[in-house]
């Protein structure tokens, strides 16, 4: 069965600092991995996804993630945080029995001026 | 293109009342999903519909029913609301139930059951 663990329910960085949000997965089959962002009182928006084409995946708003099979990780990074990046971020793995996504519990990112 | 729309945006119910959450999409997608989001729990699948006329239970189906009225619309019904159903409900769509396909989410319905 697939599962996702996001380390840290809350991460705080200063504006301009590196953003690193951690995600580890467990999967019995080659995983397809996703990062979604949720701004306050909004739905989820896709940031990027890994579908085995390339291990380094670039997404919107300057975010990227690297798939590391040996570490079963898919961490999300951004070199320089902006105030507008404050949101909740969800890592998800595809492969539920109905084709659904299996989500981590989310990491809330705060950006300090 | 509106994408995925949900109505209502907010709702307050009393225990035992019933209501239907509506979801519609104009993306011509086959698969539709209902998730609930609770603090610290991520999103959990309630029900799923692979195509018009078919529905399947997800991880947390108890207390809910669904209808896939046509390709565009997928509704979620609470027959007798309970405080444990206080949550944010998201509808999502996917072109097919294929693992690599992106799921697109609606803006959510925030439900409080008193």
């Amino acid at each position: 069965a697939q599962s996702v663990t996001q380390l840290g329910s809350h991460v705080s960085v200063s504006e301009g600092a590196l953003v690193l949000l951690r995600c580890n997965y467990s999967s019995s089959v080659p995983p397809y991995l996703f990062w979604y962002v949720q701004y306050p009182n909004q739905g989820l928006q896709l940031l990027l996804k890994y579908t085995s084409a390339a291990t380094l995946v670039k997404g919107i708003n300057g975010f990227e993630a690297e798939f590391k099979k040996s570490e079963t990780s898919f961490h999300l990074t951004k070199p320089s945080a902006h105030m507008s990046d404050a949101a909740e971020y969800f890592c998800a793995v595809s492969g539920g029995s109905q084709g659904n996504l299996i989500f981590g519990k989310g990491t809330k990112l705060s950006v300090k001026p | 293109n509106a994408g995925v729309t949900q109505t209502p945006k907010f709702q307050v119910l009393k225990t035992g009342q019933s209501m239907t959450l509506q979801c519609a999409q104009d993306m011509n997608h086959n698969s539709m999903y209902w998730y609930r989001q609770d603090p610290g729990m991520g999103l959990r699948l309630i029900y799923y519909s692979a195509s018009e006329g078919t529905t399947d239970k997800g991880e947390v189906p108890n207390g809910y029913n669904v209808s896939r009225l046509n390709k565009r619309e997928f509704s979620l019904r609470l027959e007798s609301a309970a405080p444990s159903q206080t949550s944010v409900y998201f509808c999502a769509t996917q072109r097919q139930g294929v693992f690599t396909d992106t799921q697109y989410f609606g803006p959510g319905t925030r439900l409080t059951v008193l």
Side-chain angles (χ1 to χ4, degrees), chain A residues 32 34 36 38 40-44 46 49 51 88 90 94-96 98-101 103-106, chain B residues 33 35 37 40-43 45 48 56-58 90 94 97-103 105-107 110:
Chain A
Y32 301 111
F34 302 75
Y36 281 84
Q38 184 181 30
N41 298 315
Q42 294 188 27
L44 278 72
L46 181 71
K49 67 179 180 180
T51 58
E88 191 158 19
F90 291 93
S94 186
Q98 293 93 1
N100 57 295
L101 294 173
F103 286 88
K105 296 185 177 184
Chain B
Y33 305 84
Y35 293 91
Q37 181 184 27
M41 300 286 288
L43 279 77
L45 182 68
Y48 155 76
D56 282 297
K57 295 179 180 179
F90 288 102
Q94 191 176 38
V98 174
F99 294 158
T100 55
D101 281 351
T102 298
Q103 288 193 11
F105 287 79
R110 284 152 183 80

Side-chain angles (χ1 to χ4, degrees), chain A residues 82-104:
Chain A
H82 192 272
M83 297 295 290
S84 61
D85 295 327
E88 191 158 19
Y89 293 80
F90 291 93
C91 182
V93 63
S94 186
S97 57
Q98 293 93 1
N100 57 295
L101 294 173
I102 298 164
F103 286 88

Side-chain angles (χ1 to χ4, degrees), chain B residues 34-94:
Chain B
W34 276 107
Y35 293 91
R36 61 177 287 172
Q37 181 184 27
D38 302 293
M41 300 286 288
L43 279 77
R44 294 179 292 169
L45 182 68
I46 305 171
Y47 267 94
Y48 155 76
S49 172
S51 61
E52 182 180 349
T54 68
T55 61
D56 282 297
K57 295 179 180 179
E59 180 185 354
V60 289
N62 290 345
Y64 305 96
N65 285 300
V66 290
S67 294
R68 182 74 182 268
L69 305 169
N70 47 54
K71 190 172 186 177
R72 291 187 63 248
E73 298 172 283
F74 188 37
S75 62
L76 179 71
R77 182 160 179 84
L78 287 69
E79 291 290 351
S80 178
S84 61
Q85 294 178 304
T86 293
S87 188
V88 182
Y89 292 85
F90 288 102
C91 177
T93 72
Q94 191 176 38

